[in-house]
Amino acid sequence: MHGDETVGREILLHLIDFLVTNYRRDPVVTRLLNNTRIHIMPTMNPDGFEATKVPDCYYSHGRYNKNGEDLNRNFPDVFESNNVTIQPETQAVMNWIKNETFVLSANLHGGALVASYTFDNGNSVTGSLKGYSRSPDDDVFIHLAKTYSFNHASMYKGAGCDNRQPFPEGITNGYSWYPLEGGMQDYNYVWGQCFEITLELSCCKYPPEDQLEQFWRDNKVALIEYIKQVHLGIKGQVTDKNGNPIPNAIVEAKGRPHVCPYRTNEHGEYFLLLLPGVYVINATVPGFKSMLKTVEVPNNAGNFSALKCDFSFSEVSIRTRAASCPKTPLYQELERTSAAGKPTLHLFVLMTIMLVIFK
């Protein structure tokens, strides 16, 4: 994302080469590619990379794009009104996210050694008053971050960089590290229905060329194991009485409502990352009665196939209209609703006390 943070760019090029040269040679790579649709974007900010004339471990103008904007502060924010001009690179990625059914992703950075997970921003609704911004899928995100950290050569040690802030087990909640407005991982999770974490891969943002091969070796296993996690949880298709796919049906696990409900794609497909356990899956076609199914989700990541669970609405024979969440701070509305309820509660307590006194 940042042009002067070069390690991620380099190891993604290595990853592409590793995957294509080991297909039909390595059984794990072969099964992974046979069962997984993988998209790789080696750089989001090529202009920033070209502008980095003097490599520096800590800072350079190459962090920003040609217009001087930080792309990881440039996305719509789910908590605050992010008053920035959306950059061409950001818009291109937003269009990409909208037009693909991404399920799991990571964005790569440098300057620290840690796997950071959503939320990067927060408010009282997500627990920010306690210094942690919790998503409905916090357990899954912790698992994803640990999967990368513990398969990395040293990230799991959590030592930090130059005796700076340590990260126990090599992971951190983004907000706990520092609040960030307009980040890509929160946008992708809320509006893209894609679980994304941020990977900080090197203490030095732009290390010497002779160190790049070692960075690849340090990250190779972690990258493959992380990609496998896309097969966690449950997937399926929602169809009508004629077997036609129903797009825009809401499918979510009970107790895990997303502020922007997760919906089926144009093929009626849905994907939910869930840890092994028993869940009630709720499928809803607007205007019709919901369908509930209780499922036991196994750990299928190693089998390269999530549990399949389809829904058929026998009374539905129409295609639902497109539905999308507005690009407004959705959690801002929840916070207002939560705050609005507090005076009522206080008034109720006060009235109760007064009644007791009068009695």
Side-chain angles (χ1 to χ4, degrees):
M1 292 196 72
H2 297 132
D4 62 339
E5 298 171 11
T6 57
V7 173
R9 174 190 175 106
E10 183 73 13
I11 69 168
L12 288 180
L13 294 173
H14 275 285
L15 177 61
I16 293 169
D17 181 68
F18 177 76
L19 291 174
V20 299
T21 56
N22 282 279
Y23 184 63
R24 299 192 187 281
R25 294 181 181 179
D26 182 290
V28 173
V29 170
T30 302
R31 290 190 69 192
L32 184 65
L33 290 177
N34 283 344
N35 293 280
T36 318
R37 192 159 50 86
I38 300 173
H39 297 249
I40 299 174
M41 177 174 60
T43 179
M44 186 174 165
N45 186 3
D47 292 332
F49 177 76
E50 292 298 327
T52 310
K53 302 299 183 186
V54 181
D56 191 288
C57 278
Y58 302 105
Y59 172 81
S60 81
H61 290 294
R63 175 184 180 89
Y64 307 100
N65 76 343
K66 192 172 183 179
N67 296 330
E69 296 292 337
D70 186 333
L71 299 179
N72 206 34
R73 305 292 187 276
N74 196 240
F75 286 84
D77 193 90
V78 74
F79 296 96
E80 303 176 52
S81 297
N82 193 19
N83 297 316
V84 295
T85 300
I86 300 295
Q87 296 299 296
E89 299 93 334
T90 309
Q91 189 62 58
V93 169
M94 288 170 62
N95 293 342
W96 193 35
I97 291 169
K98 180 181 178 181
N99 293 325
E100 294 286 346
T101 305
F102 290 123
V103 181
L104 175 69
S105 62
N107 69 74
L108 279 54
H109 296 258
L113 192 63
V114 66
S116 175
Y117 56 92
T118 203
F119 285 116
D120 268 331
N121 205 350
N123 59 23
S124 61
V125 173
T126 58
S128 65
L129 297 178
K130 296 181 180 179
Y132 190 110
S133 189
R134 190 181 307 276
S135 77
D137 299 291
D138 193 63
D139 57 340
V140 181
F141 276 112
I142 290 172
H143 166 80
L144 293 172
K146 285 185 176 180
T147 294
Y148 200 93
S149 173
F150 279 86
N151 284 287
H152 185 276
S154 60
M155 187 183 289
Y156 67 94
K157 297 177 182 178
C161 297
D162 301 328
N163 297 318
R164 284 180 274 162
Q165 180 182 5
F167 299 105
E169 300 185 296
I171 71 171
T172 184
N173 173 253
Y175 186 90
S176 294
W177 187 12
Y178 61 91
L180 184 162
E181 181 181 332
M184 181 174 169
Q185 76 173 9
D186 285 4
Y187 174 85
N188 214 350
Y189 172 60
V190 172
W191 281 294
Q193 302 187 183
C194 177
F195 287 50
E196 176 162 296
I197 66 173
T198 298
L199 297 172
E200 300 277 355
L201 300 178
S202 61
C203 293
C204 180
K205 292 189 175 189
Y206 201 129
E209 183 181 351
D210 60 8
Q211 295 180 13
L212 293 176
E213 179 68 30
Q214 184 61 49
F215 279 114
W216 162 240
R217 289 197 292 268
D218 289 348
N219 285 275
K220 179 172 69 172
V221 175
L223 285 165
I224 298 300
E225 290 302 315
Y226 183 77
I227 295 172
K228 285 183 186 179
Q229 304 312 304
V230 77
H231 298 292
L232 278 176
I234 188 169
K235 65 182 179 182
Q237 189 179 37
V238 180
T239 56
D240 64 17
K241 66 179 183 181
N242 299 314
N244 298 316
I246 301 177
N248 300 307
I250 298 171
V251 184
E252 298 198 308
K254 200 171 181 180
R256 293 170 179 261
H258 297 99
V259 66
C260 181
Y262 277 25
R263 298 175 181 271
T264 54
N265 63 16
E266 62 180 329
H267 306 293
E269 300 166 334
Y270 75 91
F271 303 86
L272 295 174
L273 293 187
L274 297 165
L275 298 185
V278 177
Y279 300 89
V280 176
I281 307 300
N282 186 339
T284 303
V285 176
F288 297 88
K289 187 177 180 180
S290 297
M291 290 184 65
L292 302 177
K293 286 189 179 183
T294 300
V295 297
E296 184 170 358
V297 176
N299 185 359
N300 269 354
N303 295 326
F304 302 94
S305 179
L307 178 69
K308 200 164 190 301
C309 180
D310 296 331
F311 292 86
S312 178
F313 283 80
S314 58
E315 71 276 24
V316 180
S317 60
I318 57 171
R319 291 178 66 87
T320 58
R321 285 180 289 182
S324 60
C325 280
K327 296 298 185 290
T328 57
L330 301 176
Y331 273 98
Q332 201 174 76
E333 297 301 318
L334 288 184
E335 189 174 43
R336 288 197 193 104
T337 303
S338 176
K342 290 177 182 177
T344 305
L345 178 62
H346 293 161
L347 180 61
F348 174 74
V349 172
L350 180 61
M351 289 174 65
T352 303
I353 293 171
M354 290 177 67
L355 283 169
V356 171
I357 292 172
F358 281 120
K359 284 183 179 178

